Each structure stands twice: as C-alpha cells, then as structure tokens.
Amino acid sequence: VYFRSNDVVACIVTCGGLCPGLNTVIREIVCGLSYMYGVDKVLGIDGGYRGFYSKNTIDLTPKVVNDIHKRGGTILGTSRGGHDTGKIVDSIQDRGINQVYCVKLYYTIINLESIISMYFA
C-alpha cells in the first residue's frame, strides 16, 4: 500500500462497549502514523459512529495522546448501535478522510463492512 503522508487525513473511531486497552490502541495508531509514516492529520471521532455526523472531532497528535494509555475507557467516547451509514459515508467524504481506523470488536467490523460497501458503491 502506498500513500503520500501529506495527503493522508486519517481518523480513529471507537465503537461499542468499553474494554481495556482502547486508549493504548489509539495512542499507538497516532504515534505510528506520525513517527513511522509522517502523517500529520489524524482526527478522533468523538462518540462512536454517531460522531461522524455530529461533526465532533478531536485533533490527535503524539503530544495529545502521550499519556492516555494510563487512563481507562476511551478519550474518544463511544456509542452502541443505531447509526446511519449514509451519513457516515457523507461525513467521511466531506472531510476528505482517506484512512479510517475502527477500534472495537465484532459488531464494529460488521458495521464497517456496510460503510465500506456504500463508500465504494
């Protein structure tokens, strides 16, 4: 996979219930994108999938996520079920997001499949 780091607008979303290690995963994605690949624009979607269309984002940098692994929960917040796939896809396109990192378990992956299929339809 090839991408120009200056062209990347990545986002991270946490969905479903809380589980240990979510903040650590967020931290590692942000630091990996920044330090290993030179990506400067990483957005945190606040409030799970619904955060895409409520337009709540957090700019994530290595400085912002430096100590989050020491806290429980997720700094991004989360929600369960009840999302509008069309609005999510519209939000991704409107914001120019070209990398989406979904952090959670089985149902997040099932929901992500519907988002991907609609995005590429």
Side-chain angles (χ1 to χ4, degrees), residues 41-104:
K41 187 71 172 172
V42 182
L43 301 173
I45 305 300
D46 187 21
Y49 281 136
R50 291 186 199 123
F52 277 106
Y53 43 92
S54 65
K55 306 286 186 190
N56 296 334
T57 60
I58 301 167
D59 288 325
L60 298 175
T61 64
K63 184 176 181 179
V64 169
V65 300
N66 185 48
D67 290 329
I68 66 170
H69 62 291
K70 298 175 183 176
R71 293 185 247 162
T74 167
I75 64 163
L76 299 178
T78 187
S79 62
R80 289 187 171 177
H83 67 276
D84 184 325
T85 304
K87 287 182 179 179
I88 293 171
V89 171
D90 289 344
S91 177
I92 290 170
Q93 291 174 334
D94 291 346
R95 296 177 196 205
I97 294 169
N98 49 26
Q99 292 186 11
V100 178
Y101 296 87
C102 294
V103 183
K104 198 56 182 115

Side-chain angles (χ1 to χ4, degrees), residues 9 19 22 33 51 61 67 85 111 113-114 119:
V9 179
C19 66
L22 288 175
L33 286 170
T61 64
D67 290 329
T85 304
N111 293 330
E113 287 176 356
S114 67
Y119 184 82

